[in-house]
Every structure is written in structure tokens, then in C-alpha cells.
Amino acid sequence: MLSKPARWWRAAAAVAAGGLPCLAFPAPALWWFAYVALVPWMLLLRSAPTGRRAALEGWLGGAGFILAVHHWLLPSLHVFLLPLAALLGLLWIPWALLVRELLGGDGAGGRAGAALVLVPAAWLLSELARSWQGLGGPWGLLGASQWQVPPVLRLASVGGVWLVSLLVAAVNCAVVLLIVAPAARVPAVAGLTGCAVLTGVVWLWVPRPEVSGGLRVAVVQPGLVADGPDSADRRFAAGERLTRGLAGQHPDLVVWGESSVGADLTARPDLARRLAALSAEVGAPLLVNVDARRPPAADPGTAGTAAGTGGAGAAGGTGGSGAPGIYKSAVLVGPEGPTGARYDKMRLVPFGEYIPARALLGWATSVGKAAGEDRVPGDSPVLMDLPGRPDVRLGPLVCFESAFPDMSRHLTREGAGLLIAQSATSSFQHSWAPAQHASLAALRAAESGRPMVHATLTGISAVYGPSGERLGSALPTSASTAALYEVPLARGTTLYVRFGDWPVGAALAVLAVYCAAAGVRSFRAGTPAPEPTAPRARTARG
């Protein structure tokens, strides 16, 4: 039994150890630290005296991880971040129990080999569960810490960020075995060697995206605009001024950030006319983002239809549900005005753009900057034809959606040649959030084999090539500028686009087999042995 001081010290150590992996993510971006960041937490869990204690320390460590990786949400959620972290921390309990079960001994008898497979699979299970949009989405996945490592980005093209998370967790597991289990050094070294060989084979043999042509894309980042009743108009004017400076540079496309237009273009035709004139002046269509209430009488097709110029493609109509309310929409505008290609954001940010179960959790608006009114989600993804470039189709995403691998994969499968994420992180300007968000585009580009533009209002804006490599310089949070990028296009299909989230399926399969085998062992151990059959007694007559 642990003494009371020991219990408190272990609890505090669990929270701290769970928070350590945050250093591998931007802004610190110590990517190499990810390969040992889980070791202190795992060492604590394997020494837990009981399964109940391991579950508690897994929960506390999971909460510490959420708090550390998402600490920049404190200005918006305030105290509500604490119960949210406590809720999400529960997802690490199965992993913690498995760590104690498989790493708690001397590693003999095949336990080490099982640990190298099952512990990373259980970690991936926790990542998968919290990737549900209602729980915050796939932000801060362990594999996302490797966004700037080219060989590991190649792994993402094979199995997405999920395969990278499995590899990083497996390396941590092997390091724990090397530290605490001398009998397990051979399988631990074999596991490390296997991870290195897998990465090397993928780097050498998996084909790189085949570059085919290019595109000149301009990103307009107006920078911070002071809050006020006319802030939307001043932001629009700043974007207009910066875009006008691109005249003569011959861009093929100009991209503005999320919420760059603060009024519905059907309700403000003057803004639509200004955007059309701007497009004609710079000689390129503008992809803007409208964050506004859509008039109840507005027909989703009033700005054009999928069959119109630059219309949406097979991924689905204009992307709008047509219900009245506030939308966040990517809108393509040409010299003649809105082209009819519009994408309404489908996956909204919990608490930031809607409150889950508002009747129950609506009180969050009184303690932070939670949404006072739910935004209306779109109902389908959209592909946009780029005027003047029939060979290029645009796959727009809005902000938070760049965290979801399945969304960019779907757009790529439908024919997107350029992925675009329009974002705004001005509420978290001086935190780690802008850098974390920009890094996600590198992963999406590597997974899909398509270049990706991450355009923001206030930084960090960045552009990545089809292998996830950064193109040119990122625009920092201090910049108010427009920048032109030469973006290589690519063709072909990555293994991830073709086969999807197969590492997740594999992890679930091995965990299911383990659970079934454990259940059979438990049943056999609990079944009483049959009574021995005594020989029949002989009688005087027998």
C-alpha cells in the first residue's frame, strides 16, 4: 500500500509526465523529444501497485496531456478547460492498464514482443476516440509532432498520421523495455531496428508525388485589426489594399483567410462588386471566406450553381444547406462576381462555433468566449473549378477542418489538385496555436500527395508542397502582407489516399484479438476443475 504522501506525489507526477509530449509540438517543436516523451509516464504506470492505481494515473496523465497541448484555449474556455481535460483524460485508462500489464514484469516470455505491438495500438485507440469532432477533433495527435521530418512524412503518405503515431509510440515502448527489462533487450532492439527499417524502406521505395505543372498562388494576410463595430469593414479594406499590390505579378489564385468577409455577399452586393473589381485588377480569382448570417430568403444558388462558371464539382453541389443562420463559407469570386462555387464549413469547433448539448452546457458562455449562437454546418464537401485552369480543381477546408485527415483524403479522391485551408487564430495570437495549426497542413499535404495552402488572417500562413515540404517562407503573426508562392502540382495517388486509415483497423484488430484471448484465459482460470471419477466399488456379487 502506498502512503498518503506517496499517492499525492505519484498523482502530481502523472499529470506532469502526461504533459511532457507537448514540447514535441509547435511552438517548441522539439520533434525528436516525441520518441522519449512518453517514457516517464510509462515508467510510472508500470510501477503502479494495482490496476486501479494505474487507471487513476492514466486518467491524470491524459488530463495533463490535454491541458498542456491545449493550454492556449484558457483565454476562451477559462475554467471550463479543466472539466474538459478531465473528461478526455478518461480515454487513456485502457492504455494505462495495458502498460502496467505488459511492461510491469521482466519482459520475459514474449511479453516484450506483445508490448511492442499492443501498447502502441492502445495509444492509437485513445487518439482515435478523441478525434471525434464532438470531443475536440484530432488535434495534438502524437504523429503530428513529426510534421517537419521528411522521412516520417513519407510514412504519412502510406498510413496517414496514424502510422506515424504508432511508430513514435512503439519507439517509446522499446526505450522503456531497454531501461527496465534486461531480459527484453533483444526484442526491444529488434523493435527499434524494425521502426528504422520501415522508415528507410518507405523513404527509399515508396514513390514520391509526380510533379506535373505548377500554380502561382498568392496568400493575403491582413494582420491584426482592433476590435470594434467596424472591424469587419477595416479587415476587408486591409485585404483589399494588400491584394491590389499583387497587380502585375500574374497570380493564378489569390487566397484570403477565414472570416475575411464579414457580410453575406447577397446582402451586401457592394462588397461583391468590390471583390469582382479586385479580381479583374489582379487578373486572378479570389477565394475569400464569408463569416456572416445568411438572409432567410437567400437561395443557396443565388450566387450561382454548380453548373455555372467555376462551379462546384462532383464532391457535392454548392455545399450549403440553405437553412437560415450564421455560416462560414469559402466563396470563389471572379471578375464577373461570385462564381457560384461555395463551400460551407461542415465540422464546427466545439464551444467556439457551437455548444454541444447547449441546453445542458450553455452555461459555458458565462465563463468564457464560447459561441453565443450555434453556427450552421454545411452538408457536403465541394470541389471548385479554377477559372482559366481547367486542369486544376480546388479542395477548400475551413480552419479546424485541416486537422481531419479524412476530409483532405476525400477531396483528393474526388480530384482536388490543390488543398486550401482558410483559418483565423487571432484569438490565440501570442500562443502556440498558430504554429500548431499551420503545421497540420504539412501532414495533410504529405498524406494526400497534393500541395496545401494554409491562409490565415493574422498568421501563421504557410504553403506546403505535395510531399509536405514547406514552400517559401511562412508569414509570421507579426506580418501584414501578401506573398506569392510557386506551387508545384502533382498527380498520382498515395497509398494513404488509396487505402485510408488501415493502421487504425490493424490496431483495433490486434487489440480485439488480445481481448478475446484474455477473455478465454480468464474463463478457463475461473472454471473449476472436474471432480475426479472414482473407480466403481466392487461388491461381493460384482
Side-chain angles (χ1 to χ4, degrees), residues 420-501:
I420 301 172
Q422 297 172 299
S423 176
T425 51
S426 54
S427 298
F428 315 104
Q429 188 73 354
H430 302 294
S431 71
W432 294 357
Q436 284 185 15
H437 200 176
S439 70
L440 296 175
L443 284 161
R444 304 293 86 85
E447 289 169 343
S448 63
R450 296 293 182 266
M452 186 161 187
V453 174
H454 179 79
T456 73
L457 289 180
T458 59
I460 295 172
S461 298
V463 181
Y464 299 92
S467 294
E469 73 281 13
R470 178 176 285 171
L471 302 175
S473 299
L475 305 183
T477 54
S478 59
S480 174
T481 187
L484 189 64
Y485 295 87
E486 299 286 347
V487 180
L489 301 175
R491 59 187 178 187
T493 304
T494 65
L495 293 175
Y496 175 69
V497 169
R498 187 176 303 168
F499 298 111
D501 301 330

Side-chain angles (χ1 to χ4, degrees), residues 317-332:
T318 57
S321 65
I326 302 175
Y327 289 79
K328 287 193 174 182
S329 307
V331 179
L332 191 64

